[in-house]
Amino acid sequence: MKHFGTKFTSLFFALVLIVFSVTMVCADDSNGENKNDGSVLTINDKGKVAVGKTVSYTLYLDEAKEPIEGFELRLFFDSENLKYKKGTLKFEKFNVVFYNENIEGKIPMNYTSITNMPSFDKKTQFLTADFEVIKEGNATISQFFTELYGENMDYLKSYKFTYDLTVDGKKIVEDGVPVVNNDPDTLEHNQGDFKNYADGMGDDNSPKTKDHVLVGSGVKTNVIEVQKNSSQDQKNGSSGGLIIKIIIAVLFVLLVSAAIVIAVLTTRRKKKPEE
């Protein structure tokens, strides 16, 4: 009877521990669900990513009728919600791309080569960048091409851009239409020959639906910027020349003064009586 009581007590405590463990697991799951409900970021109104996760943005180019000789692109992202992971910007087809990954919310980049002109007549990766989700809410990853041209140096008129969002190896957005950045500063200072359309397609291959809308004026603004920079350079050159002239004048006065002092000392030494 004594052994039976001992076994019963042990079994009772084991059951209590099991029930307690199950209760704690359920509580944790419940807390996790509540936490995730308010910690999700929606990107481009399409992909939902939990805070703390890394999302890969991959841009694709398709239907280009000629190989790409060069481009100038700015990739934008909401830095309040997304943190770009430095060193993750990858290009499968371009060998040497110059870019700056130290600007908040923007990665400007450019490429040109007459020896490596990749073809994008079929859907091919253009670039990939990884971002860490740091805050819930809504965010946008967008782009704006200033230049995109083929071997004839004319801007591309046949193209199709799409993008994917990938989290943990799973695509949460596939073949989405990239968002074209329409920030006034971008449209004012970064408009080039290339035409950015909201449907992600060019004039020569777009079905020209209501979504085929030009983003920006389509008028190149680089010349205006160059003129402004040239004027500024001239101002800086004028002030710089004045400063140099002042420095030369001061040095000349110092040299003349030193020469006079040396001459006076030499004269006095000659006139000193011998001992």
Side-chain angles (χ1 to χ4, degrees):
M1 189 71 179
K2 181 179 180 182
H3 292 293
F4 175 80
T6 303
K7 290 181 179 180
F8 179 83
T9 303
S10 300
L11 180 60
F12 175 80
F13 278 111
L15 290 172
V16 170
L17 288 174
I18 291 172
V19 173
F20 179 77
S21 299
V22 171
T23 304
M24 291 298 294
V25 169
C26 293
D28 289 341
D29 289 342
S30 177
N31 291 336
E33 290 177 359
N34 293 335
K35 182 179 180 180
N36 290 336
D37 285 344
S39 302
V40 173
L41 176 68
T42 302
I43 301 176
N44 293 353
D45 295 327
K46 293 181 178 294
K48 296 185 181 297
V49 188
V51 173
K53 290 285 188 178
T54 295
V55 57
S56 294
Y57 178 89
T58 302
L59 179 67
Y60 297 94
L61 176 57
D62 189 4
E63 300 184 18
K65 293 182 178 179
E66 55 184 303
I68 305 302
E69 184 174 334
F71 69 85
E72 180 180 344
L73 165 67
R74 287 162 180 81
L75 186 68
F76 299 86
F77 59 94
D78 290 329
S79 57
E80 182 180 350
N81 306 91
L82 295 166
K83 180 181 179 182
Y84 167 67
K85 304 183 77 170
K86 291 184 179 181
T88 63
L89 187 60
K90 304 296 181 185
F91 306 87
E92 293 180 358
K93 293 293 185 178
F94 301 106
N95 47 13
V96 180
V97 179
F98 296 95
Y99 56 88
N100 187 347
E101 55 183 5
N102 297 312
I103 303 176
E104 185 177 2
K106 178 174 64 176
I107 309 174
M109 61 195 81
N110 64 76
Y111 170 87
T112 183
S113 175
I114 59 174
T115 59
N116 179 50
M117 295 185 289
S119 175
F120 290 88
D121 55 334
K122 297 180 180 179
K123 181 181 176 181
T124 306
Q125 186 256 33
F126 194 93
L127 65 82
T128 298
D130 292 348
F131 301 89
E132 179 186 355
V133 177
I134 57 176
K135 185 179 179 181
E136 72 277 4
N138 293 278
T140 302
I141 299 176
S142 60
Q143 65 185 41
F144 193 88
F145 277 91
T146 297
E147 304 290 349
L148 179 61
Y149 51 90
E151 56 186 346
N152 63 357
M153 296 299 292
D154 192 13
Y155 72 91
L156 215 61
K157 298 180 179 65
S158 175
Y159 63 87
K160 180 181 179 180
F161 282 111
T162 57
Y163 78 94
D164 292 348
L165 290 179
T166 306
V167 179
D168 294 334
K170 180 181 179 181
K171 291 183 180 180
I172 60 173
V173 173
E174 186 172 8
D175 289 334
V177 177
V179 178
V180 180
N181 188 277
N182 60 0
D183 179 74
D185 184 69
T186 299
L187 301 182
E188 180 181 357
H189 298 108
N190 302 125
Q191 182 73 57
D193 288 326
F194 183 76
K195 311 300 181 185
N196 294 270
Y197 286 98
D199 64 353
M201 303 181 75
D203 276 328
D204 287 357
N205 64 318
S206 172
K208 295 182 176 58
T209 63
K210 63 179 181 179
D211 295 323
H212 190 66
V213 179
L214 179 66
V215 180
S217 63
V219 179
K220 190 171 183 178
T221 58
N222 300 46
V223 176
I224 298 176
E225 284 190 323
V226 170
Q227 290 174 347
K228 287 181 179 179
N229 291 336
S230 298
S231 302
Q232 189 63 39
D233 291 341
Q234 290 174 2
K235 292 179 181 179
N236 293 338
S238 300
S239 58
L242 179 61
I243 293 173
I244 292 174
K245 290 178 181 178
I246 294 174
I247 292 174
I248 293 173
V250 172
L251 289 174
F252 179 78
V253 171
L254 291 175
L255 287 173
V256 172
S257 300
I260 293 173
V261 171
I262 292 172
V264 171
L265 293 175
T266 303
T267 303
R268 287 182 178 178
R269 181 173 296 177
K270 288 181 178 180
K271 291 182 178 180
K272 185 177 180 180
E274 297 181 0
E275 294 181 356

